[in-house]
mmCIF file of all heavy atoms in Angstrom:
data_model
loop_
_atom_site.group_PDB
_atom_site.id
_atom_site.type_symbol
_atom_site.label_atom_id
_atom_site.label_comp_id
_atom_site.label_asym_id
_atom_site.label_seq_id
_atom_site.Cartn_x
_atom_site.Cartn_y
_atom_site.Cartn_z
ATOM 1 N N GLU A 190 0.854 -1.179 -0.021
ATOM 2 C CA GLU A 190 -0.061 -0.012 -0.017
ATOM 3 C C GLU A 190 0.885 1.257 -0.015
ATOM 4 O O GLU A 190 2.008 1.311 0.559
ATOM 5 C CB GLU A 190 -0.953 0.046 1.212
ATOM 6 C CG GLU A 190 -0.253 0.176 2.595
ATOM 7 C CD GLU A 190 -1.201 0.486 3.715
ATOM 8 O OE1 GLU A 190 -2.327 0.957 3.434
ATOM 9 O OE2 GLU A 190 -0.816 0.318 4.845
ATOM 10 N N LEU A 191 0.346 2.333 -0.612
ATOM 11 C CA LEU A 191 0.995 3.601 -0.632
ATOM 12 C C LEU A 191 0.902 4.214 0.739
ATOM 13 O O LEU A 191 -0.226 4.313 1.310
ATOM 14 C CB LEU A 191 0.354 4.444 -1.693
ATOM 15 C CG LEU A 191 0.905 5.922 -1.789
ATOM 16 C CD1 LEU A 191 2.357 5.919 -2.196
ATOM 17 C CD2 LEU A 191 0.076 6.668 -2.775
ATOM 18 N N VAL A 192 1.979 4.755 1.255
ATOM 19 C CA VAL A 192 2.020 5.380 2.582
ATOM 20 C C VAL A 192 2.048 6.918 2.405
ATOM 21 O O VAL A 192 1.251 7.617 2.976
ATOM 22 C CB VAL A 192 3.248 4.916 3.428
ATOM 23 C CG1 VAL A 192 3.287 5.636 4.692
ATOM 24 C CG2 VAL A 192 3.135 3.418 3.645
ATOM 25 N N ALA A 193 3.040 7.433 1.604
ATOM 26 C CA ALA A 193 3.154 8.882 1.443
ATOM 27 C C ALA A 193 3.951 9.127 0.210
ATOM 28 O O ALA A 193 4.738 8.321 -0.301
ATOM 29 C CB ALA A 193 3.932 9.404 2.655
ATOM 30 N N THR A 194 3.702 10.364 -0.377
ATOM 31 C CA THR A 194 4.411 10.745 -1.548
ATOM 32 C C THR A 194 4.837 12.293 -1.396
ATOM 33 O O THR A 194 4.194 12.990 -0.621
ATOM 34 C CB THR A 194 3.617 10.730 -2.838
ATOM 35 O OG1 THR A 194 2.480 11.599 -2.747
ATOM 36 C CG2 THR A 194 3.038 9.300 -3.051
ATOM 37 N N ILE A 195 5.870 12.627 -2.148
ATOM 38 C CA ILE A 195 6.268 13.975 -2.174
ATOM 39 C C ILE A 195 6.709 14.286 -3.616
ATOM 40 O O ILE A 195 7.493 13.531 -4.202
ATOM 41 C CB ILE A 195 7.417 14.353 -1.210
ATOM 42 C CG1 ILE A 195 7.713 15.844 -1.147
ATOM 43 C CG2 ILE A 195 8.615 13.435 -1.425
ATOM 44 C CD1 ILE A 195 8.566 16.287 0.026
ATOM 45 N N ASN A 196 6.184 15.375 -4.167
ATOM 46 C CA ASN A 196 6.483 15.686 -5.584
ATOM 47 C C ASN A 196 7.647 16.694 -5.663
ATOM 48 O O ASN A 196 8.211 17.094 -4.633
ATOM 49 C CB ASN A 196 5.245 16.162 -6.298
ATOM 50 C CG ASN A 196 4.705 17.470 -5.779
ATOM 51 O OD1 ASN A 196 5.478 18.265 -5.189
ATOM 52 N ND2 ASN A 196 3.399 17.645 -5.949
ATOM 53 N N SER A 197 7.960 17.075 -6.873
ATOM 54 C CA SER A 197 9.097 17.931 -7.148
ATOM 55 C C SER A 197 8.938 19.364 -6.505
ATOM 56 O O SER A 197 9.922 20.008 -6.328
ATOM 57 C CB SER A 197 9.460 18.028 -8.600
ATOM 58 O OG SER A 197 8.284 18.514 -9.317
ATOM 59 N N SER A 198 7.670 19.696 -6.282
ATOM 60 C CA SER A 198 7.465 21.021 -5.682
ATOM 61 C C SER A 198 7.310 20.953 -4.172
ATOM 62 O O SER A 198 7.067 22.001 -3.593
ATOM 63 C CB SER A 198 6.155 21.586 -6.293
ATOM 64 O OG SER A 198 6.201 21.699 -7.673
ATOM 65 N N GLY A 199 7.456 19.763 -3.693
ATOM 66 C CA GLY A 199 7.298 19.673 -2.172
ATOM 67 C C GLY A 199 5.898 19.302 -1.709
ATOM 68 O O GLY A 199 5.651 19.172 -0.519
ATOM 69 N N GLY A 200 4.978 19.166 -2.633
ATOM 70 C CA GLY A 200 3.677 18.776 -2.241
ATOM 71 C C GLY A 200 3.594 17.363 -1.723
ATOM 72 O O GLY A 200 4.278 16.490 -2.258
ATOM 73 N N THR A 201 2.824 17.122 -0.750
ATOM 74 C CA THR A 201 2.800 15.781 -0.039
ATOM 75 C C THR A 201 1.434 15.196 -0.050
ATOM 76 O O THR A 201 0.411 15.888 -0.123
ATOM 77 C CB THR A 201 3.332 15.840 1.367
ATOM 78 O OG1 THR A 201 2.514 16.826 2.119
ATOM 79 C CG2 THR A 201 4.805 16.303 1.463
ATOM 80 N N TYR A 202 1.428 13.837 0.109
ATOM 81 C CA TYR A 202 0.212 13.113 0.239
ATOM 82 C C TYR A 202 0.478 12.046 1.283
ATOM 83 O O TYR A 202 1.574 11.448 1.293
ATOM 84 C CB TYR A 202 -0.231 12.412 -1.073
ATOM 85 C CG TYR A 202 -1.172 11.305 -0.870
ATOM 86 C CD1 TYR A 202 -2.569 11.550 -0.720
ATOM 87 C CD2 TYR A 202 -0.732 9.968 -0.690
ATOM 88 C CE1 TYR A 202 -3.440 10.451 -0.537
ATOM 89 C CE2 TYR A 202 -1.607 8.953 -0.477
ATOM 90 C CZ TYR A 202 -2.981 9.170 -0.397
ATOM 91 O OH TYR A 202 -3.824 8.185 -0.133
ATOM 92 N N TYR A 203 -0.466 11.791 2.166
ATOM 93 C CA TYR A 203 -0.396 10.736 3.147
ATOM 94 C C TYR A 203 -1.696 9.851 3.130
ATOM 95 O O TYR A 203 -2.743 10.422 3.029
ATOM 96 C CB TYR A 203 -0.210 11.267 4.552
ATOM 97 C CG TYR A 203 1.003 12.184 4.743
ATOM 98 C CD1 TYR A 203 1.079 13.509 4.512
ATOM 99 C CD2 TYR A 203 2.194 11.528 5.060
ATOM 100 C CE1 TYR A 203 2.150 14.191 4.724
ATOM 101 C CE2 TYR A 203 3.404 12.256 5.255
ATOM 102 C CZ TYR A 203 3.357 13.659 5.056
ATOM 103 O OH TYR A 203 4.470 14.404 5.192
ATOM 104 N N THR A 204 -1.492 8.582 3.277
ATOM 105 C CA THR A 204 -2.653 7.765 3.487
ATOM 106 C C THR A 204 -3.276 8.069 4.839
ATOM 107 O O THR A 204 -2.592 8.498 5.795
ATOM 108 C CB THR A 204 -2.317 6.280 3.355
ATOM 109 O OG1 THR A 204 -3.507 5.530 3.251
ATOM 110 C CG2 THR A 204 -1.522 5.786 4.633
ATOM 111 N N THR A 205 -4.584 7.924 4.936
ATOM 112 C CA THR A 205 -5.282 8.374 6.092
ATOM 113 C C THR A 205 -4.758 7.840 7.427
ATOM 114 O O THR A 205 -4.651 8.564 8.357
ATOM 115 C CB THR A 205 -6.788 7.965 5.996
ATOM 116 O OG1 THR A 205 -7.289 8.600 4.801
ATOM 117 C CG2 THR A 205 -7.622 8.450 7.219
ATOM 118 N N SER A 206 -4.348 6.578 7.422
ATOM 119 C CA SER A 206 -3.954 5.995 8.708
ATOM 120 C C SER A 206 -2.585 6.507 9.306
ATOM 121 O O SER A 206 -2.354 6.337 10.484
ATOM 122 C CB SER A 206 -3.760 4.469 8.532
ATOM 123 O OG SER A 206 -2.778 4.191 7.541
ATOM 124 N N VAL A 207 -1.844 7.268 8.481
ATOM 125 C CA VAL A 207 -0.579 7.805 8.981
ATOM 126 C C VAL A 207 -0.584 9.358 9.086
ATOM 127 O O VAL A 207 0.379 9.888 9.597
ATOM 128 C CB VAL A 207 0.605 7.352 8.118
ATOM 129 C CG1 VAL A 207 0.607 5.812 7.918
ATOM 130 C CG2 VAL A 207 0.718 8.056 6.802
ATOM 131 N N LYS A 208 -1.679 9.974 8.659
ATOM 132 C CA LYS A 208 -1.737 11.453 8.773
ATOM 133 C C LYS A 208 -1.524 11.932 10.157
ATOM 134 O O LYS A 208 -2.096 11.360 11.119
ATOM 135 C CB LYS A 208 -3.082 11.928 8.182
ATOM 136 C CG LYS A 208 -3.149 11.971 6.733
ATOM 137 C CD LYS A 208 -4.510 12.492 6.294
ATOM 138 C CE LYS A 208 -4.595 12.484 4.789
ATOM 139 N NZ LYS A 208 -5.939 12.918 4.249
ATOM 140 N N GLY A 209 -0.690 12.917 10.334
ATOM 141 C CA GLY A 209 -0.396 13.499 11.698
ATOM 142 C C GLY A 209 0.659 12.694 12.454
ATOM 143 O O GLY A 209 1.091 13.169 13.526
ATOM 144 N N ARG A 210 1.063 11.511 11.911
ATOM 145 C CA ARG A 210 2.136 10.727 12.583
ATOM 146 C C ARG A 210 3.329 10.646 11.793
ATOM 147 O O ARG A 210 4.491 10.578 12.346
ATOM 148 C CB ARG A 210 1.599 9.365 12.936
ATOM 149 C CG ARG A 210 0.351 9.319 13.781
ATOM 150 C CD ARG A 210 -0.032 7.884 14.241
ATOM 151 N NE ARG A 210 -0.324 7.039 13.086
ATOM 152 C CZ ARG A 210 0.347 5.922 12.859
ATOM 153 N NH1 ARG A 210 1.314 5.527 13.568
ATOM 154 N NH2 ARG A 210 -0.072 5.189 11.802
ATOM 155 N N PHE A 211 3.232 10.561 10.461
ATOM 156 C CA PHE A 211 4.326 10.368 9.555
ATOM 157 C C PHE A 211 4.670 11.625 8.797
ATOM 158 O O PHE A 211 3.702 12.406 8.464
ATOM 159 C CB PHE A 211 4.126 9.287 8.579
ATOM 160 C CG PHE A 211 4.083 7.847 9.085
ATOM 161 C CD1 PHE A 211 4.039 7.644 10.486
ATOM 162 C CD2 PHE A 211 4.070 6.787 8.283
ATOM 163 C CE1 PHE A 211 4.026 6.410 11.009
ATOM 164 C CE2 PHE A 211 3.989 5.474 8.806
ATOM 165 C CZ PHE A 211 3.969 5.282 10.123
ATOM 166 N N THR A 212 5.867 11.883 8.496
ATOM 167 C CA THR A 212 6.273 13.061 7.691
ATOM 168 C C THR A 212 7.306 12.606 6.646
ATOM 169 O O THR A 212 8.329 12.048 6.943
ATOM 170 C CB THR A 212 6.915 14.177 8.549
ATOM 171 O OG1 THR A 212 5.979 14.558 9.545
ATOM 172 C CG2 THR A 212 7.226 15.394 7.665
ATOM 173 N N ILE A 213 6.961 12.911 5.373
ATOM 174 C CA ILE A 213 7.868 12.613 4.256
ATOM 175 C C ILE A 213 8.658 13.847 3.893
ATOM 176 O O ILE A 213 8.069 14.936 3.891
ATOM 177 C CB ILE A 213 7.094 11.998 3.045
ATOM 178 C CG1 ILE A 213 8.119 11.464 2.022
ATOM 179 C CG2 ILE A 213 6.190 12.989 2.486
ATOM 180 C CD1 ILE A 213 7.417 10.695 0.874
ATOM 181 N N SER A 214 9.858 13.656 3.549
ATOM 182 C CA SER A 214 10.710 14.811 3.134
ATOM 183 C C SER A 214 11.792 14.326 2.127
ATOM 184 O O SER A 214 12.040 13.140 2.086
ATOM 185 C CB SER A 214 11.450 15.534 4.327
ATOM 186 O OG SER A 214 12.282 14.550 4.946
ATOM 187 N N ARG A 215 12.307 15.318 1.366
ATOM 188 C CA ARG A 215 13.278 14.892 0.364
ATOM 189 C C ARG A 215 14.434 15.897 0.295
ATOM 190 O O ARG A 215 14.233 17.041 0.590
ATOM 191 C CB ARG A 215 12.619 14.774 -1.042
ATOM 192 C CG ARG A 215 12.061 16.014 -1.558
ATOM 193 C CD ARG A 215 11.169 15.794 -2.766
ATOM 194 N NE ARG A 215 11.949 15.655 -3.982
ATOM 195 C CZ ARG A 215 11.442 15.314 -5.225
ATOM 196 N NH1 ARG A 215 10.138 15.129 -5.290
ATOM 197 N NH2 ARG A 215 12.255 15.203 -6.251
ATOM 198 N N ASP A 216 15.566 15.354 -0.121
ATOM 199 C CA ASP A 216 16.742 16.278 -0.421
ATOM 200 C C ASP A 216 17.024 16.080 -1.864
ATOM 201 O O ASP A 216 17.634 15.068 -2.345
ATOM 202 C CB ASP A 216 17.888 15.791 0.479
ATOM 203 C CG ASP A 216 19.100 16.757 0.314
ATOM 204 O OD1 ASP A 216 19.274 17.316 -0.830
ATOM 205 O OD2 ASP A 216 19.867 16.857 1.218
ATOM 206 N N ASN A 217 16.590 17.010 -2.694
ATOM 207 C CA ASN A 217 16.762 16.951 -4.139
ATOM 208 C C ASN A 217 18.261 16.828 -4.520
ATOM 209 O O ASN A 217 18.618 16.138 -5.476
ATOM 210 C CB ASN A 217 16.120 18.048 -4.845
ATOM 211 C CG ASN A 217 14.644 18.050 -4.737
ATOM 212 O OD1 ASN A 217 14.023 17.016 -4.648
ATOM 213 N ND2 ASN A 217 13.996 19.250 -4.673
ATOM 214 N N ALA A 218 19.144 17.600 -3.849
ATOM 215 C CA ALA A 218 20.539 17.570 -4.255
ATOM 216 C C ALA A 218 21.186 16.246 -3.969
ATOM 217 O O ALA A 218 22.111 15.850 -4.695
ATOM 218 C CB ALA A 218 21.303 18.632 -3.437
ATOM 219 N N LYS A 219 20.668 15.445 -2.999
ATOM 220 C CA LYS A 219 21.281 14.137 -2.647
ATOM 221 C C LYS A 219 20.430 13.003 -3.125
ATOM 222 O O LYS A 219 20.771 11.867 -2.879
ATOM 223 C CB LYS A 219 21.444 14.120 -1.155
ATOM 224 C CG LYS A 219 22.422 15.139 -0.575
ATOM 225 C CD LYS A 219 22.598 14.935 0.951
ATOM 226 C CE LYS A 219 23.601 15.908 1.515
ATOM 227 N NZ LYS A 219 23.788 15.775 3.032
ATOM 228 N N ASN A 220 19.347 13.305 -3.794
ATOM 229 C CA ASN A 220 18.445 12.240 -4.299
ATOM 230 C C ASN A 220 18.068 11.300 -3.186
ATOM 231 O O ASN A 220 18.139 10.029 -3.290
ATOM 232 C CB ASN A 220 19.166 11.413 -5.439
ATOM 233 C CG ASN A 220 19.067 12.107 -6.763
ATOM 234 O OD1 ASN A 220 19.568 11.615 -7.772
ATOM 235 N ND2 ASN A 220 18.515 13.265 -6.839
ATOM 236 N N THR A 221 17.651 11.846 -2.076
ATOM 237 C CA THR A 221 17.261 11.040 -0.952
ATOM 238 C C THR A 221 15.860 11.421 -0.506
ATOM 239 O O THR A 221 15.402 12.584 -0.737
ATOM 240 C CB THR A 221 18.187 11.216 0.247
ATOM 241 O OG1 THR A 221 18.232 12.613 0.619
ATOM 242 C CG2 THR A 221 19.643 10.772 -0.019
ATOM 243 N N VAL A 222 15.154 10.513 0.118
ATOM 244 C CA VAL A 222 13.887 10.667 0.617
ATOM 245 C C VAL A 222 13.811 10.088 2.057
ATOM 246 O O VAL A 222 14.366 9.063 2.232
ATOM 247 C CB VAL A 222 12.733 10.190 -0.270
ATOM 248 C CG1 VAL A 222 12.831 8.659 -0.477
ATOM 249 C CG2 VAL A 222 11.338 10.557 0.245
ATOM 250 N N HIS A 223 13.098 10.760 2.939
ATOM 251 C CA HIS A 223 13.038 10.269 4.314
ATOM 252 C C HIS A 223 11.610 10.077 4.743
ATOM 253 O O HIS A 223 10.664 10.770 4.135
ATOM 254 C CB HIS A 223 13.684 11.244 5.236
ATOM 255 C CG HIS A 223 15.101 11.636 4.889
ATOM 256 N ND1 HIS A 223 16.185 10.840 5.078
ATOM 257 C CD2 HIS A 223 15.634 12.709 4.225
ATOM 258 C CE1 HIS A 223 17.293 11.363 4.664
ATOM 259 N NE2 HIS A 223 16.997 12.516 4.166
ATOM 260 N N LEU A 224 11.325 9.217 5.774
ATOM 261 C CA LEU A 224 10.047 9.086 6.295
ATOM 262 C C LEU A 224 10.229 9.106 7.792
ATOM 263 O O LEU A 224 10.767 8.099 8.353
ATOM 264 C CB LEU A 224 9.409 7.829 5.877
ATOM 265 C CG LEU A 224 7.968 7.676 6.307
ATOM 266 C CD1 LEU A 224 7.060 8.721 5.561
ATOM 267 C CD2 LEU A 224 7.386 6.258 6.009
ATOM 268 N N GLN A 225 9.802 10.175 8.467
ATOM 269 C CA GLN A 225 9.851 10.294 9.885
ATOM 270 C C GLN A 225 8.520 9.641 10.413
ATOM 271 O O GLN A 225 7.468 10.159 10.016
ATOM 272 C CB GLN A 225 9.978 11.711 10.375
ATOM 273 C CG GLN A 225 9.925 11.932 11.838
ATOM 274 C CD GLN A 225 11.123 11.271 12.571
ATOM 275 O OE1 GLN A 225 12.284 11.414 12.102
ATOM 276 N NE2 GLN A 225 10.894 10.634 13.665
ATOM 277 N N MET A 226 8.635 8.634 11.224
ATOM 278 C CA MET A 226 7.482 7.947 11.721
ATOM 279 C C MET A 226 7.379 8.094 13.239
ATOM 280 O O MET A 226 8.282 7.643 13.943
ATOM 281 C CB MET A 226 7.520 6.492 11.321
ATOM 282 C CG MET A 226 7.668 6.269 9.858
ATOM 283 S SD MET A 226 7.562 4.487 9.343
ATOM 284 C CE MET A 226 9.010 3.865 10.161
#
């Protein structure tokens, strides 16, 4: 199942069950993505 997404503009989406608990972030320069749970 999809948990979270982040697009090139920084827009985010979260599945309902993790909203308010998880945070997705990205570092474009390093091609990395994080999920704080």
Side-chain angles (χ1 to χ4, degrees):
E190 66 168 341
L191 176 63
V192 176
T194 67
I195 184 166
N196 62 27
S197 57
S198 300
T201 58
Y202 161 85
Y203 298 93
T204 193
T205 300
S206 62
V207 308
K208 283 182 180 177
R210 301 188 297 122
F211 291 9
T212 302
I213 189 170
S214 60
R215 62 190 282 177
D216 183 330
N217 292 328
K219 297 182 179 180
N220 280 182
T221 59
V222 61
H223 306 282
L224 186 68
Q225 178 66 43
M226 305 186 295

